[in-house]
Amino acid sequence: MAPPKRKHARNQACVIPGGFTVLSLQFSPDSSARHSVFVKEHKVRAEKSSGRPLDRTLFVLDIPPYCSEAVVKDLFSQFGSVRSVELKDHPGSSEEPGPRLSRLFRPAEKQGFKVGYVVFESPSSIAAAKSHPCDDPLVVSTQLRPVRTGVQKWIQQYIESFIPTDKLQQIVDAFMQDYDKRKEEEEERQKQEAEKQQEDEEGWVKVTRGHKGAKARPHSEAADQRTLQREKRKKRRKELLNFYTWQHRNTQKEHIAELRKKFEEDKQRIALMRAQRKFKPY
């Protein structure tokens, strides 16, 4: 009859269109309100980050604001050992590899519902999470794992905002040591590239393509001397060319003067022939 069928369906997982499985969240054991999150196996082929393996990553939607990464890790630990949890405002590729900044240097996070990527140690944990019954809620706040909200959460955040001086000094020292190490590695790499691009016996330089953003190699003293000599030769050739140009201009002026003198002589001869009436143009 109808009641046994409803009881049988209660023990099954709720799968909605799109391949998402619905999981219920219950804030406390005595709370009557429930919140639904939607989970799905992460299968983005364009994902190149090793931090999200395709066979062990669970994609979670609609995570409430009171669930931090530690709370999400505890919630999904019942399905298997969790390696890492990443919460973001919107779905997207993972962050670029690099030094992880302390929370002191990171901007304030937005408060709101988030999406998450839960990475398990075993692929079987994905199947366990997807087959969890919808009517069996996951309890967020328990006596062993209390989660503060409202004014209590603000008071806790305010207290945690004050960091002891010695701990802050340790964080700064660790950051500066990492920065100095990366700086030394960059200088060593530039030095090796400069040695590869040294000049040979005939003065030729082997130029290799460096990484993006690499600085130009420093010029040697011999290269600077050759550059000065080339500039001097260019200057001498330019002076010689200018001298010949000046001589050519004088020659043209003399030729024009001769043409004008001949023109004046022809005019005088024609005027004399007209006076003698012996001018016969035809």
Side-chain angles (χ1 to χ4, degrees), residues 68-69 87 89 100 103 106-112 114:
S68 61
E69 292 184 357
L87 299 183
D89 296 329
R100 185 178 179 85
R103 65 183 181 86
R106 285 180 290 180
E109 298 181 356
K110 297 180 179 179
Q111 299 296 329
K114 297 182 179 296

Side-chain angles (χ1 to χ4, degrees), residues 208-224:
T208 58
R209 182 178 181 181
H211 73 289
K212 185 177 180 181
K215 298 181 179 179
R217 70 179 184 89
H219 291 280
S220 62
E221 185 176 357
D224 294 338

Side-chain angles (χ1 to χ4, degrees), residues 8-259:
H8 178 71
R10 184 181 300 175
N11 297 326
Q12 295 181 356
C14 179
V15 181
I16 63 176
F20 286 94
T21 302
V22 181
L23 298 181
S24 297
L25 295 184
Q26 190 174 352
F27 184 77
S28 60
D30 56 350
S31 177
S32 59
R34 294 185 180 182
H35 176 75
S36 297
V37 297
F38 310 93
V39 300
K40 183 181 181 181
E41 185 177 358
H42 181 61
K43 292 184 178 181
V44 179
R45 296 300 177 182
E47 183 72 52
K48 298 181 180 180
S49 175
S50 59
R52 298 177 184 174
L54 298 180
D55 58 338
R56 292 184 284 113
T57 304
L58 189 68
F59 179 55
V60 187
L61 285 176
D62 208 18
I63 299 176
Y66 51 79
C67 289
S68 61
E69 292 184 357
V71 173
V72 174
K73 184 176 182 179
D74 291 336
L75 286 175
F76 286 90
S77 294
Q78 61 179 331
F79 304 117
S81 179
V82 178
R83 173 184 293 184
S84 63
V85 175
E86 181 182 0
L87 299 183
K88 302 188 67 173
D89 296 329
H90 305 283
S93 59
S94 60
E95 298 179 356
E96 295 295 332
R100 185 178 179 85
L101 297 178
S102 172
R103 65 183 181 86
L104 301 176
F105 304 101
R106 285 180 290 180
E109 298 181 356
K110 297 180 179 179
Q111 299 296 329
F113 290 85
K114 297 182 179 296
V115 299
Y117 298 88
V118 182
V119 181
F120 292 97
E121 295 288 350
S122 175
S124 60
S125 302
I126 300 291
K130 294 171 61 177
S131 61
H132 187 75
C134 180
D135 58 342
D136 186 7
L138 306 178
V139 181
V140 176
S141 179
T142 61
Q143 294 181 355
L144 300 177
R145 188 184 63 245
V147 177
R148 294 182 174 87
T149 59
V151 178
Q152 295 180 356
K153 182 179 180 180
W154 295 342
I155 295 174
Q156 182 183 4
Q157 291 177 351
Y158 178 77
I159 295 175
E160 293 177 352
S161 63
F162 295 95
I163 301 179
T165 307
D166 54 349
K167 185 177 180 181
L168 179 61
Q169 187 65 40
Q170 293 177 1
I171 295 175
V172 174
D173 293 341
F175 179 82
M176 293 305 300
Q177 290 177 1
D178 182 66
Y179 174 79
D180 294 339
K181 182 179 179 181
R182 288 186 283 111
K183 195 71 174 178
E184 292 177 357
E185 293 176 354
E186 180 68 18
E187 293 178 354
E188 183 67 22
R189 185 190 56 76
Q190 292 182 1
K191 183 178 179 181
Q192 293 178 359
E193 290 182 358
E195 292 177 354
K196 292 180 181 178
Q197 296 178 357
Q198 290 295 332
E199 302 170 355
D200 56 11
E201 297 179 356
E202 298 181 357
W204 293 93
V205 179
K206 182 180 180 182
V207 180
T208 58
R209 182 178 181 181
H211 73 289
K212 185 177 180 181
K215 298 181 179 179
R217 70 179 184 89
H219 291 280
S220 62
E221 185 176 357
D224 294 338
Q225 291 293 336
R226 283 195 303 274
T227 303
L228 292 175
Q229 293 177 3
R230 285 196 299 268
E231 293 296 332
K232 290 180 180 180
R233 287 196 297 269
K234 289 181 179 179
K235 187 176 181 180
R236 287 197 297 268
R237 285 198 299 267
K238 188 175 181 180
E239 291 176 354
L240 185 61
L241 180 61
N242 292 337
F243 171 77
Y244 286 128
T245 304
W246 173 80
Q247 187 179 16
H248 182 64
R249 289 177 180 174
N250 289 340
T251 305
Q252 287 181 344
K253 289 180 179 179
E254 292 176 358
H255 181 64
I256 292 173
E258 291 179 359
L259 291 176

